[in-house]
Amino acid sequence: EGQSTGANTTVIIFALCLVFVYLLLSAQYESYILPLAVILSIPFGLAGSFIFAQIMSVENNIYLQIALIMLVGLLAKNAILIVEFALDRRKTGMSIVDSAIQGAAARLRPILMTSLAMVIGLLPMMFAHGVGANGNSTLGTGAVGGMFIGMVCQIFIVPALFVIFEIIQEKFKPIEWHDTDNSEIEAEIEQYTK
């Protein structure tokens, strides 16, 4: 009884997290369609948690569920940054596909650095021993699996989702062009090349 109640509560919290992320992104992108590029990339990372849980033969308990809820925010952050950069480039007059590729390329290094730092930092927790090892290793396994597989998948999946949903979005609301002479982008590129 207690187990099923706990599982139900987790599902509700999970749904609320996704709704919250969706509503915030709808306001940020001024679109109800584009946030789906972020939301639909999150399950690929969460699948990583379950894959690692299977490999490490860890059971799906409250610790793994906490890791999953934490991952929603961390995986969404990576996807949000790619979409944000791709959208900025689209507004300067690039094609949708080019802007998606450029957006992913611009965020590749920061995403790899932050995600790998977190994965490596959590490895001791994943292979924990002693008192409380069960909870620690479950939480660590879920977070490491989700972050690692999510990081790899999102680099390819988010740009593809951006292309699909941006095409749909522009059918409803044509893009408003900004900075078509690319002066801001050039300044940004210079900053990365110095």
Side-chain angles (χ1 to χ4, degrees), residues 51-72:
I51 291 165
F52 270 54
Q54 283 286 309
I55 293 167
M56 298 283 290
S57 62
V58 168
E59 62 186 53
N60 180 6
N61 57 20
I62 187 72
Y63 294 105
L64 188 65
Q65 288 158 10
I66 289 168
L68 293 177
I69 288 167
M70 178 179 73
L71 282 168
V72 170

Side-chain angles (χ1 to χ4, degrees), residues 18-30:
L18 289 175
V19 169
F20 198 63
V21 169
Y22 176 77
L23 291 174
L24 282 173
L25 290 178
S26 296
Q28 186 182 337
Y29 299 142
E30 295 175 7

Side-chain angles (χ1 to χ4, degrees), residues 162-193:
F162 171 79
V163 170
I164 294 163
F165 290 114
E166 184 61 22
I167 289 168
I168 297 168
Q169 169 65 24
E170 288 183 24
K171 282 193 171 29
F172 290 103
K173 183 183 169 195
I175 197 94
E176 292 169 17
W177 306 109
H178 301 294
D179 185 34
T180 43
D181 60 352
N182 288 348
S183 57
E184 282 179 25
I185 293 285
E186 274 167 24
E188 197 177 277
I189 290 166
E190 269 175 39
Q191 171 200 328
Y192 282 116
T193 52

Side-chain angles (χ1 to χ4, degrees), residues 12-175:
I12 292 165
I13 293 168
F14 212 74
L16 283 172
C17 286
L18 289 175
V19 169
F20 198 63
V21 169
Y22 176 77
L23 291 174
L24 282 173
L25 290 178
S26 296
Q28 186 182 337
Y29 299 142
E30 295 175 7
S31 156
Y32 289 116
I33 298 165
L34 206 51
L36 295 173
V38 174
I39 299 288
L40 293 180
S41 73
I42 293 172
F44 290 93
L46 301 183
S49 293
F50 290 112
I51 291 165
F52 270 54
Q54 283 286 309
I55 293 167
M56 298 283 290
S57 62
V58 168
E59 62 186 53
N60 180 6
N61 57 20
I62 187 72
Y63 294 105
L64 188 65
Q65 288 158 10
I66 289 168
L68 293 177
I69 288 167
M70 178 179 73
L71 282 168
V72 170
L74 292 166
L75 293 168
K77 175 195 65 118
N78 286 350
I80 287 164
L81 289 169
I82 295 174
V83 172
E84 186 72 30
F85 269 59
L87 196 56
D88 283 349
R89 280 153 178 70
R90 176 62 182 148
K91 285 177 180 171
T92 65
M94 279 189 191
S95 76
I96 294 179
V97 174
D98 283 346
S99 58
I101 293 165
Q102 290 284 323
R107 300 308 304 162
L108 178 64
R109 194 174 56 182
I111 283 173
L112 288 178
M113 283 166 64
T114 54
S115 301
L116 283 174
M118 183 183 160
V119 165
I120 293 162
L122 283 171
L123 284 177
M125 199 171 175
M126 185 172 164
F127 299 110
H129 296 292
V131 182
N134 184 30
N136 287 347
S137 67
T138 308
L139 188 57
T141 302
V144 167
M147 208 64 213
F148 185 72
I149 291 178
M151 169 190 76
V152 174
C153 290
Q154 282 188 313
I155 290 162
F156 302 103
I157 286 159
V158 175
L161 290 171
F162 171 79
V163 170
I164 294 163
F165 290 114
E166 184 61 22
I167 289 168
I168 297 168
Q169 169 65 24
E170 288 183 24
K171 282 193 171 29
F172 290 103
K173 183 183 169 195
I175 197 94

